[in-house]
Amino acid sequence: MTPPHTPTPTERPTPRAIVPVLAFAGIVVAVMQTLLVPVIKDLPQLLDTSPSNATWVLTSTLLSGAVATPIMGRLGDLYGKRRMLLASLSVMVVGALISGFTSALLPMIVGRTLQGFAMGAIPLGIGLMRDELPRERLGSAMALMSSSIGVGGGLALPLAAAVAQNADWHALFFGAAGLGVLSIVLTLVAVPETSTRAEGTFDLLGALGLSLGLVLFLLPITKGSDWGWTSATTLGLFAASAAVLLLWGVLELRIPAPLVDLRTTARREVLLTNLASIMVGVSFYVVSLVLPQLLQLPTSTGYGLGQSMIVAGLCVAPLGLTMMFTAPVYARISARYGPRSTLILGLLIIAIGYGAGLGLMSAAWQTVVVSVVLGTGIGLAYSSLPALIVGAVDPSETGAANGLNSLMRSIGTSVSSAVIGMVLANTANHVGGVDIPTLHGFRVSFVIATAAVALGLLLALFLPGRRPAPVPTSVPAPRTGDGSGDRGADRDGYATALASPSRSAGRVM
């Protein structure tokens, strides 16, 4: 008797709205990272606390987002990516409401921590796209999902500035909660649950070990400039992080169903892609830190552009918009040359953008040009990363693998924030007890970003090139509910599809 056939993503109908709905979810959760940027300088007064304590409102979101991405990715592989996506969005809504109803420091930090957990939605969305979309749509869809973190961050700046300038700052959180509820409703309506599941159980001890190691590592990175980079607290936390992560790695290698498959992570394509992701994360955050400050500094400094908070946000907004519009461009380039070549091209454009930015700091329109160029490069680079990861891992590992890749980008932004913050502080002019960033500090920051891009480019050059497309001689094997079956063939097929979606679709159909 012939066993029942399980339709592949190419064969079964897929709701047309799944891509925009998942991309919208990614944009919504990315908004959390830049939501409070317009009111950063006012947080100590708004929360009636010291400046060092107020920074925890931002640090808590960063830490929880870094911890959540690999954990939610693995939970999605095991128990359903749509289910975990809805859980992530729900936690975000609860956190936004907590923050919206308080002006006290501790509840605000709790709410912001919950908001950060939603960052796991981005790798979950990429995993859902891989499981549900036909191959000819997968490349551009994942590019849009991967870029959503930049789109959300870029678009949030002018909108948050407008709200903060014309209404009570708590309205920022109520608006975020409303967007989260809308995203939940759209996900329930338009996104089906995937039947692909990973084997095994959830590695609770591994999750706790990774979380502790990441917190011990990221905490001194984000607070090192306040504590002192050579202080006993900073060095002690770095040492403790190294010890915890080493023990965690030994544990992960010994259990049958680890949170992170380190053997897969050690593959050349996965390892180099993750290392390059750190460099892309560094380059992305530098422009977000430098341009808004340059635009808002008074013209009396001799180099400040004297723009309002809203105008500064509008000048930086093209960074996110350009990232969004590069998704279809990425699909065409990647179809012809492969995601590795697209990553290299993106990194080259980022380097050009920062190089040009060293001399384009004297007018608001020049910052718009820099934002567009950098948005194009970062959009191409971000779009390439999930394609490289997906092409190198089994379908049942997509969520965890992309969660780890998102974590690498978060580490990059954390390192960028710490290093650039230290550079701007050490090069600042002290006027009337206030530290004013200097043009020299801005330019040094751009040089650091360019160096990070150069290192990322070197790593990308060592990635394996696109393999020749295999010619199938039979109908592709159906994927079983647990993600087993001919995993190697499925992985190669998706790698081929991501490199050349149109030709792959032609052969399958």
Side-chain angles (χ1 to χ4, degrees):
M1 182 176 179
T2 303
H5 174 63
T6 303
T8 65
T10 306
E11 296 171 321
R12 59 175 174 254
T14 304
R16 299 292 301 180
I18 186 172
V19 174
V21 167
L22 289 175
F24 178 70
I27 291 171
V28 168
V29 301
V31 165
M32 296 300 104
Q33 290 196 329
T34 54
L35 187 68
L36 293 182
V37 167
V39 295
I40 285 178
K41 64 181 185 300
D42 300 321
L43 281 178
Q45 179 182 355
L46 294 171
L47 297 173
D48 192 23
T49 188
S50 65
S52 60
N53 286 336
T55 61
W56 284 103
V57 176
L58 303 177
T59 302
S60 59
T61 307
L62 178 68
L63 292 176
S64 61
V67 169
T69 46
I71 292 176
M72 295 304 291
R74 177 60 178 168
L75 287 172
D77 287 339
L78 288 169
Y79 305 115
K81 301 179 182 69
R82 176 178 179 264
R83 181 180 300 173
M84 291 301 110
L85 173 61
L86 291 170
S88 296
L89 292 169
S90 299
V91 170
M92 188 208 80
V93 170
V94 171
L97 291 175
I98 290 174
S99 297
F101 283 108
T102 186
S103 294
L105 178 64
L106 186 58
M108 180 64 67
I109 291 175
V110 171
R112 291 289 291 165
T113 301
L114 294 176
Q115 290 164 51
F117 269 98
M119 288 304 297
I122 293 176
L124 289 169
I126 292 173
L128 279 165
M129 287 175 175
R130 176 177 183 172
D131 292 342
E132 297 298 323
L133 291 179
R135 295 179 180 182
E136 67 270 18
R137 294 178 59 194
L138 186 57
S140 59
M142 289 199 310
L144 181 60
M145 190 70 197
S146 181
S147 299
S148 65
I149 186 170
V151 176
L155 295 180
L157 284 173
L159 294 177
V163 172
Q165 194 164 299
N166 297 288
D168 183 84
W169 69 291
H170 291 94
L172 295 169
F173 298 111
F174 294 124
L179 290 174
V181 171
L182 176 59
S183 184
I184 290 172
V185 172
L186 292 174
T187 301
L188 287 170
V189 171
V191 180
E193 180 60 276
T194 175
S195 60
T196 303
R197 295 287 190 276
E199 297 176 349
T201 57
F202 182 67
D203 176 17
L204 179 59
L205 186 59
L208 294 174
L210 178 61
S211 300
L212 178 60
L214 288 174
V215 170
L216 291 173
F217 175 69
L218 292 174
L219 196 54
I221 284 181
T222 55
K223 301 290 291 182
S225 58
D226 296 330
W227 295 340
W229 291 104
T230 59
S231 68
T233 301
T234 301
L235 296 178
L237 287 173
F238 276 132
S241 170
V244 169
L245 290 176
L246 179 62
L247 292 173
W248 170 79
V250 172
L251 172 68
E252 293 296 281
L253 289 171
R254 291 185 175 183
I255 62 176
L259 176 71
V260 177
D261 189 340
L262 294 180
R263 292 180 179 86
T264 298
T265 305
R267 292 177 190 162
R268 183 175 63 154
E269 187 168 2
V270 178
L271 178 62
L272 292 178
T273 300
N274 282 333
L275 292 176
S277 299
I278 297 176
M279 300 301 109
V280 178
V282 170
S283 67
F284 168 65
Y285 212 61
V286 170
V287 64
S288 303
L289 290 172
V290 168
L291 289 189
Q293 295 190 68
L294 174 66
L295 284 158
Q296 293 183 71
L297 283 174
T299 55
S300 58
T301 60
Y303 53 87
L305 302 181
Q307 303 298 319
S308 68
M309 187 186 300
I310 295 177
V311 172
L314 290 173
C315 288
V316 180
L319 178 74
L321 290 172
T322 309
M323 290 179 67
M324 180 171 61
F325 291 129
T326 56
V329 177
Y330 157 80
R332 291 180 177 273
I333 298 174
S334 184
R336 184 163 186 174
Y337 301 105
R340 172 183 176 269
S341 298
T342 315
L343 174 60
I344 292 172
L345 176 62
L347 290 167
L348 287 172
I349 294 175
I350 297 172
I352 292 172
Y354 277 117
L358 290 171
L360 296 178
M361 291 188 176
S362 58
W365 68 266
Q366 294 177 354
T367 67
V368 174
V369 172
V370 172
S371 295
V372 169
V373 174
L374 290 175
T376 302
I378 295 171
L380 289 174
Y382 265 20
S383 298
S384 305
L385 299 174
L388 289 165
I389 293 293
V390 164
V393 303
D394 293 333
S396 61
E397 300 172 346
T398 303
N402 274 298
L404 184 63
N405 184 254
S406 296
L407 169 62
M408 294 300 106
R409 284 185 260 176
S410 296
I411 290 175
T413 58
S414 302
V415 171
S416 178
S417 176
V419 172
I420 301 306
M422 180 177 61
V423 167
L424 295 180
N426 290 338
T427 57
N429 289 326
H430 305 282
V431 180
V434 178
D435 291 339
I436 300 177
T438 62
L439 185 61
H440 173 66
F442 292 147
R443 285 176 170 158
V444 171
S445 300
F446 272 27
V447 170
I448 292 172
T450 306
V453 172
L455 181 55
L457 183 60
L458 180 64
L459 293 167
L461 290 173
F462 284 95
L463 283 166
R466 186 174 67 181
R467 292 170 290 184
V471 179
T473 56
S474 60
V475 177
R479 292 193 297 174
T480 59
D482 63 355
S484 58
D486 189 358
R487 293 181 177 175
D490 187 83
R491 183 172 66 247
D492 291 344
Y494 267 93
T496 301
L498 292 172
S500 181
S502 59
R503 284 177 287 182
S504 297
R507 286 194 299 274
V508 173
M509 295 300 288

